Short mmCIF file of all heavy atoms in Angstrom, two decimals:
data_model
loop_
_atom_site.label_atom_id
_atom_site.label_comp_id
_atom_site.label_asym_id
_atom_site.label_seq_id
_atom_site.Cartn_x
_atom_site.Cartn_y
_atom_site.Cartn_z
N GLY F 1 -2.72 4.22 8.64
CA GLY F 1 -3.02 3.58 9.94
C GLY F 1 -3.26 2.00 9.72
O GLY F 1 -2.36 1.34 9.63
N GLU F 2 -4.47 1.75 9.78
CA GLU F 2 -4.92 0.34 9.72
C GLU F 2 -4.44 -0.35 8.40
O GLU F 2 -4.09 -1.52 8.52
CB GLU F 2 -6.42 0.28 9.83
CG GLU F 2 -7.02 -1.13 9.92
CD GLU F 2 -8.56 -1.18 10.00
OE1 GLU F 2 -9.06 -0.08 10.66
OE2 GLU F 2 -9.19 -2.19 9.68
N GLY F 3 -4.47 0.32 7.42
CA GLY F 3 -4.08 -0.34 6.09
C GLY F 3 -2.63 -0.88 6.07
O GLY F 3 -2.40 -2.05 5.78
N LEU F 4 -1.73 0.03 6.48
CA LEU F 4 -0.23 -0.41 6.48
C LEU F 4 -0.05 -1.47 7.62
O LEU F 4 0.78 -2.26 7.56
CB LEU F 4 0.61 0.81 6.71
CG LEU F 4 0.67 1.81 5.46
CD1 LEU F 4 1.60 3.02 5.80
CD2 LEU F 4 1.30 1.04 4.29
N GLN F 5 -0.78 -1.32 8.68
CA GLN F 5 -0.49 -2.20 9.82
C GLN F 5 -1.02 -3.70 9.33
O GLN F 5 -0.28 -4.62 9.68
CB GLN F 5 -1.43 -1.78 11.09
CG GLN F 5 -0.92 -0.57 11.70
CD GLN F 5 -2.03 -0.06 12.68
OE1 GLN F 5 -2.93 -0.74 13.06
NE2 GLN F 5 -1.70 1.10 13.15
N GLN F 6 -2.04 -3.74 8.50
CA GLN F 6 -2.47 -5.06 8.01
C GLN F 6 -1.40 -5.60 7.13
O GLN F 6 -0.98 -6.78 7.17
CB GLN F 6 -3.83 -4.97 7.29
CG GLN F 6 -4.30 -6.30 6.68
CD GLN F 6 -4.55 -7.37 7.62
OE1 GLN F 6 -5.56 -7.30 8.46
NE2 GLN F 6 -3.65 -8.32 7.81
N LEU F 7 -0.91 -4.78 6.18
CA LEU F 7 0.13 -5.30 5.21
C LEU F 7 1.37 -5.70 6.00
O LEU F 7 2.00 -6.76 5.62
CB LEU F 7 0.42 -4.13 4.24
CG LEU F 7 -0.64 -3.75 3.26
CD1 LEU F 7 -0.25 -2.50 2.50
CD2 LEU F 7 -1.03 -4.92 2.37
N GLU F 8 1.76 -5.03 7.03
CA GLU F 8 2.87 -5.37 7.82
C GLU F 8 2.67 -6.76 8.50
O GLU F 8 3.61 -7.53 8.54
CB GLU F 8 3.33 -4.30 8.86
CG GLU F 8 4.62 -4.47 9.55
CD GLU F 8 5.77 -4.51 8.65
OE1 GLU F 8 5.75 -3.92 7.50
OE2 GLU F 8 6.84 -5.24 9.05
N ARG F 9 1.50 -6.88 9.00
CA ARG F 9 1.13 -8.25 9.58
C ARG F 9 1.35 -9.37 8.65
O ARG F 9 1.86 -10.40 8.93
CB ARG F 9 -0.22 -8.23 10.21
CG ARG F 9 -0.31 -7.45 11.55
CD ARG F 9 -1.68 -7.89 12.23
NE ARG F 9 -2.87 -7.41 11.46
CZ ARG F 9 -3.30 -6.13 11.56
NH1 ARG F 9 -2.79 -5.28 12.52
NH2 ARG F 9 -4.43 -5.87 10.93
N TRP F 10 0.82 -9.12 7.44
CA TRP F 10 0.93 -10.20 6.38
C TRP F 10 2.36 -10.48 6.05
O TRP F 10 2.78 -11.64 5.75
CB TRP F 10 0.20 -9.77 5.05
CG TRP F 10 -1.29 -9.92 5.17
CD1 TRP F 10 -1.91 -10.88 6.07
CD2 TRP F 10 -2.32 -9.22 4.55
NE1 TRP F 10 -3.32 -10.66 5.92
CE2 TRP F 10 -3.59 -9.74 4.93
CE3 TRP F 10 -2.20 -8.25 3.52
CZ2 TRP F 10 -4.76 -9.30 4.42
CZ3 TRP F 10 -3.47 -7.79 3.06
CH2 TRP F 10 -4.66 -8.31 3.50
N LYS F 11 3.36 -9.42 6.10
CA LYS F 11 4.58 -9.62 5.76
C LYS F 11 5.32 -10.43 6.85
O LYS F 11 6.09 -11.29 6.65
CB LYS F 11 5.34 -8.28 5.60
CG LYS F 11 6.80 -8.40 5.23
CD LYS F 11 7.46 -7.05 5.10
CE LYS F 11 8.85 -7.12 4.74
NZ LYS F 11 9.54 -5.84 4.50
N ARG F 12 4.98 -10.08 8.20
CA ARG F 12 5.58 -10.85 9.25
C ARG F 12 5.19 -12.31 9.30
O ARG F 12 6.00 -13.25 9.59
CB ARG F 12 5.28 -10.17 10.60
CG ARG F 12 5.82 -8.85 10.87
CD ARG F 12 5.64 -8.55 12.35
NE ARG F 12 4.29 -8.50 12.77
CZ ARG F 12 3.55 -7.46 12.86
NH1 ARG F 12 3.90 -6.32 12.53
NH2 ARG F 12 2.17 -7.58 13.32
N GLU F 13 3.96 -12.47 8.88
CA GLU F 13 3.48 -13.92 8.78
C GLU F 13 3.99 -14.77 7.58
O GLU F 13 3.76 -15.93 7.49
CB GLU F 13 1.93 -13.93 8.81
CG GLU F 13 1.30 -13.37 10.02
CD GLU F 13 -0.19 -13.00 9.89
OE1 GLU F 13 -0.67 -13.11 8.72
OE2 GLU F 13 -0.79 -12.45 10.80
N GLY F 14 4.65 -14.04 6.67
CA GLY F 14 5.24 -14.71 5.47
C GLY F 14 4.34 -14.72 4.29
O GLY F 14 4.61 -15.34 3.24
N PHE F 15 3.12 -14.17 4.51
CA PHE F 15 2.09 -14.06 3.27
C PHE F 15 2.74 -13.16 2.24
O PHE F 15 2.53 -13.45 0.97
CB PHE F 15 0.78 -13.66 3.82
CG PHE F 15 -0.31 -13.59 2.77
CD1 PHE F 15 -0.49 -14.72 1.96
CD2 PHE F 15 -1.06 -12.48 2.65
CE1 PHE F 15 -1.48 -14.63 0.95
CE2 PHE F 15 -2.12 -12.50 1.64
CZ PHE F 15 -2.20 -13.53 0.83
N LEU F 16 3.29 -12.05 2.59
CA LEU F 16 3.93 -11.04 1.69
C LEU F 16 5.44 -11.10 1.75
O LEU F 16 5.93 -11.25 2.87
CB LEU F 16 3.36 -9.66 1.88
CG LEU F 16 1.93 -9.43 1.54
CD1 LEU F 16 1.60 -7.99 1.93
CD2 LEU F 16 1.53 -9.67 0.22
N ARG F 17 6.10 -10.93 0.62
CA ARG F 17 7.60 -10.80 0.77
C ARG F 17 7.91 -9.31 0.88
O ARG F 17 8.69 -8.99 1.68
CB ARG F 17 8.22 -11.33 -0.48
CG ARG F 17 9.70 -11.29 -0.55
CD ARG F 17 10.28 -11.95 -1.81
NE ARG F 17 9.79 -11.40 -3.04
CZ ARG F 17 10.29 -10.30 -3.58
NH1 ARG F 17 11.39 -9.62 -3.07
NH2 ARG F 17 9.89 -9.79 -4.80
N GLU F 18 7.20 -8.52 0.12
CA GLU F 18 7.34 -7.04 0.18
C GLU F 18 6.11 -6.43 -0.18
O GLU F 18 5.22 -6.96 -0.89
CB GLU F 18 8.44 -6.52 -0.75
CG GLU F 18 9.86 -6.99 -0.35
CD GLU F 18 10.45 -6.43 0.88
OE1 GLU F 18 9.82 -5.35 1.39
OE2 GLU F 18 11.42 -6.85 1.36
N TYR F 19 5.91 -5.14 0.21
CA TYR F 19 4.67 -4.35 -0.28
C TYR F 19 5.12 -2.94 -0.35
O TYR F 19 6.09 -2.50 0.28
CB TYR F 19 3.48 -4.51 0.73
CG TYR F 19 3.76 -3.97 2.11
CD1 TYR F 19 3.53 -2.61 2.33
CD2 TYR F 19 4.29 -4.81 3.18
CE1 TYR F 19 3.80 -2.14 3.64
CE2 TYR F 19 4.55 -4.33 4.38
CZ TYR F 19 4.27 -2.92 4.63
OH TYR F 19 4.45 -2.36 5.86
N LYS F 20 4.37 -2.13 -1.08
CA LYS F 20 4.56 -0.75 -1.24
C LYS F 20 3.20 -0.13 -1.57
O LYS F 20 2.48 -0.62 -2.33
CB LYS F 20 5.61 -0.38 -2.36
CG LYS F 20 6.09 0.97 -2.42
CD LYS F 20 7.05 1.20 -3.57
CE LYS F 20 8.38 0.33 -3.31
NZ LYS F 20 9.18 0.97 -2.27
N VAL F 21 2.96 1.00 -0.92
CA VAL F 21 1.67 1.77 -1.21
C VAL F 21 2.16 3.19 -1.63
O VAL F 21 2.79 3.93 -0.93
CB VAL F 21 0.82 1.83 0.15
CG1 VAL F 21 -0.45 2.61 -0.21
CG2 VAL F 21 0.49 0.42 0.60
N LEU F 22 1.64 3.47 -2.78
CA LEU F 22 1.92 4.84 -3.41
C LEU F 22 0.64 5.64 -3.39
O LEU F 22 -0.47 5.07 -3.75
CB LEU F 22 2.56 4.78 -4.76
CG LEU F 22 3.78 3.94 -4.81
CD1 LEU F 22 4.33 3.86 -6.33
CD2 LEU F 22 4.88 4.34 -3.96
N PHE F 23 0.75 6.88 -3.22
CA PHE F 23 -0.39 7.77 -3.25
C PHE F 23 -0.11 8.88 -4.32
O PHE F 23 0.84 9.52 -4.24
CB PHE F 23 -0.78 8.40 -1.87
CG PHE F 23 -2.18 8.72 -1.68
CD1 PHE F 23 -3.08 7.74 -1.29
CD2 PHE F 23 -2.70 9.96 -2.00
CE1 PHE F 23 -4.37 7.95 -1.02
CE2 PHE F 23 -4.10 10.20 -1.86
CZ PHE F 23 -4.91 9.31 -1.35
N ASN F 24 -1.05 8.99 -5.35
CA ASN F 24 -0.90 10.00 -6.36
C ASN F 24 -0.75 11.39 -5.70
O ASN F 24 -1.63 11.76 -4.87
CB ASN F 24 -2.13 9.94 -7.23
CG ASN F 24 -1.91 10.68 -8.51
OD1 ASN F 24 -1.14 11.73 -8.60
ND2 ASN F 24 -2.65 10.30 -9.54
N ARG F 25 0.21 12.16 -6.07
CA ARG F 25 0.45 13.43 -5.47
C ARG F 25 -0.56 14.46 -5.93
O ARG F 25 -0.89 15.40 -5.15
CB ARG F 25 1.88 14.00 -6.00
CG ARG F 25 2.15 15.36 -5.41
CD ARG F 25 3.65 15.63 -5.70
NE ARG F 25 4.60 14.84 -4.90
CZ ARG F 25 5.94 15.20 -4.76
NH1 ARG F 25 6.38 16.19 -5.49
NH2 ARG F 25 6.74 14.49 -4.03
N PHE F 26 -1.31 14.16 -7.01
CA PHE F 26 -2.28 15.14 -7.48
C PHE F 26 -3.64 14.45 -7.69
O PHE F 26 -3.74 13.30 -7.84
CB PHE F 26 -1.86 15.70 -8.89
CG PHE F 26 -0.41 16.25 -8.85
CD1 PHE F 26 0.55 15.59 -9.54
CD2 PHE F 26 -0.20 17.40 -8.13
CE1 PHE F 26 1.82 16.10 -9.49
CE2 PHE F 26 1.09 17.93 -8.20
CZ PHE F 26 2.13 17.29 -8.84
N VAL F 27 -4.73 15.34 -7.63
CA VAL F 27 -6.01 14.92 -7.94
C VAL F 27 -6.05 14.80 -9.46
O VAL F 27 -5.84 15.71 -10.17
CB VAL F 27 -7.13 15.87 -7.50
CG1 VAL F 27 -8.49 15.39 -7.97
CG2 VAL F 27 -7.00 15.94 -5.90
N ASP F 28 -6.45 13.58 -10.00
CA ASP F 28 -6.33 13.32 -11.41
C ASP F 28 -7.34 12.29 -11.85
O ASP F 28 -7.19 11.05 -11.52
CB ASP F 28 -4.93 12.88 -11.85
CG ASP F 28 -4.84 12.83 -13.41
OD1 ASP F 28 -5.80 12.95 -14.05
OD2 ASP F 28 -3.58 12.72 -13.75
N ASN F 29 -8.41 12.65 -12.51
CA ASN F 29 -9.51 11.78 -12.71
C ASN F 29 -9.18 10.78 -13.77
O ASN F 29 -9.96 9.81 -13.95
CB ASN F 29 -10.89 12.59 -13.12
CG ASN F 29 -10.69 13.32 -14.34
OD1 ASN F 29 -9.68 13.33 -15.05
ND2 ASN F 29 -11.77 14.01 -14.79
N LYS F 30 -8.12 10.83 -14.43
CA LYS F 30 -7.63 9.88 -15.46
C LYS F 30 -6.75 8.82 -14.83
O LYS F 30 -6.44 7.86 -15.63
CB LYS F 30 -7.03 10.51 -16.64
CG LYS F 30 -7.87 11.49 -17.46
CD LYS F 30 -7.06 12.08 -18.64
CE LYS F 30 -7.97 12.93 -19.47
NZ LYS F 30 -7.16 13.53 -20.64
N ASN F 31 -6.48 8.91 -13.60
CA ASN F 31 -5.50 7.97 -13.02
C ASN F 31 -5.93 7.55 -11.55
O ASN F 31 -6.80 8.13 -11.06
CB ASN F 31 -4.04 8.56 -12.97
CG ASN F 31 -3.34 8.49 -14.24
OD1 ASN F 31 -3.25 7.45 -14.78
ND2 ASN F 31 -2.80 9.59 -14.69
N TRP F 32 -5.24 6.56 -11.04
CA TRP F 32 -5.54 6.02 -9.68
C TRP F 32 -5.13 7.08 -8.65
O TRP F 32 -4.28 8.01 -8.92
CB TRP F 32 -4.92 4.74 -9.53
CG TRP F 32 -3.40 4.64 -9.87
CD1 TRP F 32 -2.96 4.16 -11.04
CD2 TRP F 32 -2.25 5.02 -9.15
NE1 TRP F 32 -1.52 4.26 -11.10
CE2 TRP F 32 -1.11 4.88 -9.96
CE3 TRP F 32 -2.07 5.74 -7.91
CZ2 TRP F 32 0.27 5.15 -9.55
CZ3 TRP F 32 -0.80 6.10 -7.47
CH2 TRP F 32 0.29 5.76 -8.28
N ASP F 33 -5.80 7.05 -7.54
CA ASP F 33 -5.37 7.79 -6.33
C ASP F 33 -4.42 7.10 -5.50
O ASP F 33 -3.56 7.66 -4.94
CB ASP F 33 -6.57 8.21 -5.53
CG ASP F 33 -7.64 9.17 -6.29
OD1 ASP F 33 -7.31 10.32 -6.21
OD2 ASP F 33 -8.48 8.61 -6.96
#
């Protein structure tokens, strides 16, 4: 919701060229979520 909306605003404003948000498919305490 809010997170992707903020990233999209930054892209429209020219602050970001591209962005991507990935979410770990599994619960894994050795890696990022």
Side-chain angles (χ1 to χ4, degrees):
E2 185 178 334
L4 288 176
Q5 291 169 12
Q6 177 64 73
L7 292 174
E8 187 61 28
R9 282 195 295 271
W10 283 335
K11 183 178 178 180
R12 288 198 305 267
E13 294 166 358
F15 182 50
L16 295 178
R17 181 173 60 83
E18 294 290 346
Y19 66 85
K20 192 180 293 290
V21 180
L22 304 181
F23 210 86
N24 194 333
R25 183 172 284 192
F26 307 111
V27 176
D28 188 349
N29 64 1
K30 293 183 179 180
N31 279 309
W32 45 263
D33 292 277

